[in-house]
Amino acid sequence: MRVLFIAGPSPATMFWAPPLANALRNAGHSVVMATTEETTRIAEQMAIPFVTVTDRSLEDLLSTGRDGRPVDFPETVEDSIRFHGSWMARLAAASHDRLRELTDHWRPDVIVGGSQSYAAALLAATLDVPYVRHTWDALEIPESNRYADEELAPELAALGRSALPDPNLVLDVTPPSVSPPTLSPGT
């Protein structure tokens, strides 16, 4: 089985991947991790085969919209939720073309993405393969998903969708006893 892991643009968004990726490799599966050019050094240290899929930095994703204009820093809680969903969706949009190039040559059977990895959800919808969300902390923000859908409207419309797919499986690092009651429990 081929498993594509999609990490984010900072070390915190990558550290969840090695235990599962190495377990899959040890079981005989083929694993590749997609990440940003900015995190190449971290990816090298993880000893998982990887490919970079965008040169947009974390700072750029946080501060610049897809149209090249500056993004206002959030002032309210609702602004923060929108901000979070939007910048993570900008990462998905910025990496989608290179992810498609990768999958033209190395098609995964399943895609595993971290918390709010909209790139994983978008690619899974594009390829019609299962998508697994593997949380990397207790800070899931499901309210931000609608803003990701707004940011990714052009890509979703091309797929005949109005929203990103829900994961087929959620691997959750947060024990149910401390997970917010508004979240559905994961595995």
Side-chain angles (χ1 to χ4, degrees):
M1 179 171 61
R2 291 180 172 186
V3 184
L4 176 60
F5 284 75
I6 300 180
S10 74
T13 65
M14 300 172 73
F15 291 144
W16 58 270
L20 181 57
N22 286 322
L24 288 166
R25 283 184 14 190
N26 290 342
H29 302 289
S30 180
V31 173
V32 171
M33 182 167 56
T35 190
T36 66
E37 288 182 17
E38 184 175 31
T39 57
T40 298
R41 185 181 58 78
I42 303 298
E44 289 170 344
Q45 294 172 356
M46 291 183 174
I48 299 169
F50 74 93
V51 61
T52 59
V53 292
T54 184
D55 60 357
R56 287 197 69 183
S57 68
L58 176 58
E59 181 180 341
D60 183 51
L61 290 163
L62 293 171
S63 65
T64 309
R66 290 174 73 172
D67 59 5
R69 289 189 249 167
V71 173
D72 293 329
F73 197 75
E75 295 180 14
T76 67
V77 171
E78 188 61 31
D79 289 345
S80 295
I81 292 169
R82 175 185 291 277
F83 181 80
H84 182 76
S86 297
W87 83 259
M88 292 292 282
R90 285 192 293 277
L91 172 61
S95 57
H96 194 65
D97 287 345
R98 286 196 197 162
L99 284 167
R100 288 302 314 270
E101 289 173 17
L102 169 65
T103 61
D104 284 345
H105 303 286
W106 190 87
R107 185 175 173 88
D109 298 300
V110 64
I111 297 170
V112 183
S115 299
Q116 269 77 45
S117 178
Y118 301 121
L122 180 61
L123 186 62
T126 302
L127 300 177
D128 194 26
V129 299
Y131 154 53
V132 175
R133 185 174 70 234
H134 191 309
T135 65
W136 45 273
D137 65 15
L139 298 177
E140 289 287 294
I141 308 170
E143 298 85 2
S144 67
N145 295 347
R146 68 176 179 216
Y147 299 115
D149 293 337
E150 288 176 11
E151 186 79 26
L152 292 169
E155 289 82 4
L156 292 169
L159 297 172
R161 301 181 65 101
S162 61
L164 290 163
D166 290 328
N168 297 85
L169 174 69
V170 176
L171 299 175
D172 195 350
V173 299
T174 307
S177 61
V178 295
S179 185
T182 57
L183 295 181
S184 299
T187 300

